[in-house]
Amino acid sequence: MLENSDRQRQAQIYLEFYKGFLLAVDSLRNSARPINIYAYDTAGSADTVRSILRRPEMKNIQVFIAPENEKQLEMIARYADESNASVLNMFAVRDGSYKRYASMLQATIPHQDMYQKAIEAMVKDMRGREVVVVNPVGREADKKEFVDMLKSSLAKNGTSVTVIDYDVNLDMAQLSELDRTKKYAFITTSSRQPELNRVLPTLIEFKEQLTDVDPLKLFGYPEWTTFRGETLNNMHLANTYVYSRFYTVPEDPWAEKLEKKFIADYGTPMGSYVPRQGLLGFDTGLFLLKWLENAPDLNEARNSIITYNGVQNGFHFVRPDRAAGLVNND
């Protein structure tokens, strides 16, 4: 959408991803193999994508990084299946094209699979603890589906769950019946920062009253990785654990170096998107280029996916049961 003076947020995200991708290419400039990148402005149009796929250079493409639009993604996947190319789906998180197309590499772990992995880890970490769910009354509980799945898994393991509803703020009186000699695992039904701030002070105070050396864990959500300031400090005090598809350690030297390189090359810092698109583009570029370098033939490459642990994202592709393509399960 480069022709639009008022560029949409999604177009800005794609552009920053591409800038990060170019940083990865630059870091491999001395590679023995040539690196050829074709970038096209799809203008958010299926007709434009269709015309791009008719261009003569498409016959030589090894990997397509596709737009988020599901119709356009399917068009590219169908073409790639016929031309023995691969399609990396970075943006359409809930798309299921990998089930139908051998060319498809689903780069983000599917929603339900991510939930299941997170729940399995939580059930393991909650072992030996009293589990307490705190739930806001009269306000949005956006993680109710997840918490219901967690409760079901805990029940199968013989672990009971106490549910505490709170109105304005969680207060100590609502925790008065909880035995101070036991260990606890808390989880909320909301991922919103205001709701988290309504429960954190009381959980910290409650933790200080417990007698065990490892008395309390608070389990949370990917959205919490963006919280800063007092909320983040209180999350540390409450011994908080979160699951996420991606994470960057702010003080990581590699991340700091990339941030400086990004500013030097493009004149502006990376946007505050989640995930950070410049880092996502860099990790994607480095993964793809090393993958293709190790297995130049795509048929061979699709059966020898490497594991890549990046600055923000990791990649490890597997083939789910009855699926034609591959899925990143990292």
Side-chain angles (χ1 to χ4, degrees):
M1 301 178 185
L2 295 174
E3 298 300 321
N4 296 4
S5 57
D6 183 21
R7 201 168 298 142
Q8 295 179 9
R9 180 180 182 274
Q10 202 63 25
Q12 293 172 348
I13 284 174
Y14 292 149
L15 185 57
E16 183 162 306
F17 174 92
Y18 181 54
K19 289 177 178 179
F21 193 98
L22 292 180
L23 293 183
V25 174
D26 189 59
S27 71
L28 295 175
R29 190 173 293 278
N30 296 323
S31 171
R33 296 183 65 212
I35 300 168
N36 298 306
I37 301 170
Y38 299 86
Y40 300 93
D41 184 355
T42 66
S45 163
D47 288 339
T48 303
V49 170
R50 195 173 290 110
S51 67
I52 290 171
L53 292 176
R54 288 197 292 263
R55 297 173 69 101
E57 66 267 25
M58 292 296 109
K59 297 176 183 177
N60 300 318
I61 298 296
Q62 289 178 287
V63 180
F64 293 90
I65 299 179
E68 183 178 17
N69 180 276
E70 291 185 4
K71 181 180 179 181
Q72 297 170 31
L73 186 61
E74 181 135 2
M75 289 167 56
I76 296 170
R78 193 180 303 119
Y79 178 91
D81 263 19
E82 295 171 356
S83 64
N84 195 33
S86 287
V87 182
L88 185 62
N89 172 21
M90 294 301 305
F91 304 107
V93 175
R94 296 178 183 270
D95 182 75
S97 298
Y98 68 89
K99 298 174 183 177
R100 303 185 300 277
Y101 295 101
S103 60
M104 185 62 66
L105 306 175
Q106 173 72 31
T108 52
I109 184 169
H111 184 69
Q112 288 299 318
D113 292 348
M114 181 182 68
Y115 268 17
Q116 194 55 50
K117 288 189 73 170
I119 286 169
E120 287 172 4
M122 285 185 185
V123 169
K124 182 178 179 180
D125 277 355
M126 288 175 173
R127 195 169 297 142
R129 295 179 181 272
E130 301 292 313
V131 180
V132 181
V133 173
V134 288
N135 177 61
V137 175
R139 293 184 299 278
E140 182 181 7
D142 61 304
K143 297 299 181 180
K144 186 178 183 303
E145 175 193 0
F146 178 86
V147 172
D148 285 346
M149 290 173 62
L150 174 63
K151 287 162 65 177
S152 176
S153 292
L154 287 167
K156 291 176 184 176
N157 284 271
T159 302
S160 60
V161 175
T162 300
V163 178
I164 296 177
D165 295 326
Y166 67 92
D167 187 6
V168 179
N169 297 304
L170 182 69
D171 59 54
M172 287 299 296
Q174 293 172 287
L175 307 182
S176 61
E177 299 298 321
L178 301 181
D179 187 339
R180 267 51 175 176
T181 66
K182 293 185 176 180
K183 299 195 296 185
Y184 289 90
F186 282 82
I187 188 165
T188 73
T189 58
S190 172
S191 67
R192 312 297 187 200
Q193 187 171 6
E195 290 301 334
L196 180 57
N197 289 334
R198 292 174 187 269
V199 305
L200 276 172
T202 299
L203 292 184
I204 294 167
E205 183 181 352
F206 178 69
K207 177 187 171 188
E208 292 171 352
Q209 297 180 2
L210 302 177
T211 59
D212 195 273
V213 292
D214 182 22
L216 185 145
K217 290 183 178 181
L218 172 63
F219 291 88
Y221 305 101
E223 294 86 344
W224 293 12
T225 63
T226 66
F227 298 163
R228 297 293 181 265
E230 183 179 5
T231 303
L232 180 59
N233 291 335
N234 284 339
M235 284 168 61
H236 286 303
L237 292 173
N239 197 23
T240 303
Y241 290 70
V242 301
Y243 69 91
S244 179
R245 287 186 172 96
F246 36 76
Y247 183 67
T248 305
V249 178
E251 299 79 16
D252 179 24
W254 198 6
E256 290 180 348
K257 183 179 179 181
L258 277 172
E259 182 78 52
K260 291 176 181 177
K261 176 67 173 171
F262 192 95
I263 294 172
D265 282 15
Y266 303 118
T268 58
M270 297 181 198
S272 57
Y273 307 112
V274 181
R276 301 191 71 193
Q277 292 298 313
L279 296 181
L280 180 60
F282 179 85
D283 281 336
T284 302
L286 217 55
F287 161 71
L288 273 183
L289 295 170
K290 288 185 175 182
W291 172 47
L292 293 174
E293 189 173 40
N294 290 340
D297 178 77
L298 276 178
N299 284 324
E300 177 189 349
R302 282 200 285 263
N303 292 309
S304 60
I305 297 291
I306 63 171
T307 296
Y308 170 82
N309 294 313
V311 184
Q312 175 184 250
N313 292 72
F315 296 98
H316 177 257
F317 284 88
V318 297
R319 193 181 311 280
D321 290 341
R322 297 184 296 279
L326 301 172
V327 169
N328 178 23
N329 75 344
D330 194 330

